[in-house]
Amino acid sequence: MEILKQRILKDGVVKEGNVLKVDRFLNHQMDVKLFNDIGEEFAKRFAGTGVNKILTIESSGIGIACIAAQHFNNCPVIFAKKTLSKNLDGEMFVTQVKSYTKGVTYDVMVSEKYLGKGDKVLIIDDFLANGCALMGLIDIVKQSGAELAGAGIVIEKGFQEGGK
C-alpha cells in the first residue's frame, strides 16, 4: 500500500535496536482514515475466503482489527488477552507469545466460547517481527478447530525472521 509506505517515511522513526516507532499514526495515536484504507485492502486480499471472525492480540492490533471488520460484513473481532482477569470465565485456548519489543513472554488466551469449528479466521496485527505473536495466534486457531483464512499484517519487518 503506497499510502502506508509514504506515511511510514513521513512519520515513522527507527530507534535503537531496529525498533520502528509509528506511534504518531498506528499504535498510540491512531489515524482512523488510514486504518479504514488498510481494512479495505485486507478485504480485497481476503475476498472469497469466507472470513467470519477476526483474531488479534492486545493491544495495538485491536483498533486495526475493529476498523477492518467493517469490511468483512461487520464480523466479530476477538482479541487474545495477555492477562487473566475476573471477566474471563470458562475454558480457554492458551498459548505462549514472546514480545519482541518488550522482551517478555506472555500466556495469551481466548475463551473457547468465541472460537470454534465452522469459523474462518483472519488474523490481523500491526507488526510482524520474529513471528511469535502470529504463530501464537495460529496455535489458538488450531486448538479451536477453526479454519485459518490468512493473516493481515500492517508492517512486516523484512530484516527479521517472521515472514518466513
Side-chain angles (χ1 to χ4, degrees):
M1 263 185 79
E2 187 61 27
I3 190 169
L4 177 60
K5 178 181 173 184
Q6 292 307 314
R7 191 62 184 269
I8 292 168
L9 291 171
K10 177 181 172 233
D11 290 327
V13 176
V14 177
K15 298 186 71 160
E16 186 178 334
N18 288 324
V19 174
L20 176 60
K21 188 173 175 153
V22 289
D23 62 346
R24 291 185 60 100
F25 60 93
L26 189 67
N27 56 15
H28 193 67
Q29 176 173 275
M30 297 180 278
D31 182 335
V32 176
K33 168 73 171 93
L34 178 63
F35 283 19
N36 191 61
D37 293 343
I38 291 167
E40 189 173 16
E41 183 66 24
F42 286 153
K44 287 178 191 172
R45 291 180 184 224
F46 296 100
T49 60
V51 171
N52 69 344
K53 300 251 175 111
I54 292 177
L55 177 63
T56 190
I57 191 166
E58 69 178 348
S59 66
S60 295
I62 296 172
I64 298 158
C66 287
I67 299 294
Q70 297 175 103
H71 298 279
F72 291 90
N73 296 317
N74 292 311
C75 71
V77 173
I78 303 161
F79 67 92
K81 295 190 173 208
K82 294 179 183 173
T83 56
L84 190 59
S85 72
K86 291 179 182 179
N87 292 336
L88 288 176
D89 59 354
E91 297 298 312
M92 301 284 164
F93 301 115
V94 180
T95 194
Q96 288 195 323
V97 170
K98 182 174 183 178
S99 168
Y100 172 75
T101 52
K102 294 182 180 160
V104 175
T105 299
Y106 296 96
D107 282 335
V108 297
M109 58 210 83
V110 168
S111 173
E112 290 184 9
K113 293 185 273 190
Y114 302 120
L115 202 56
K117 289 185 171 107
D119 288 326
K120 293 194 176 185
V121 180
L122 174 62
I123 294 171
I124 290 183
D125 206 359
D126 59 343
F127 275 101
L128 178 62
N130 289 327
C132 295
L134 179 59
M135 294 307 295
L137 293 175
I138 290 171
D139 181 44
I140 286 175
V141 171
K142 286 180 181 177
Q143 288 178 50
S144 76
E147 182 182 333
L148 180 64
I153 306 297
V154 178
I155 298 172
E156 178 186 348
K157 296 180 181 179
F159 61 92
Q160 290 180 278
E161 300 295 314
K164 292 179 183 175

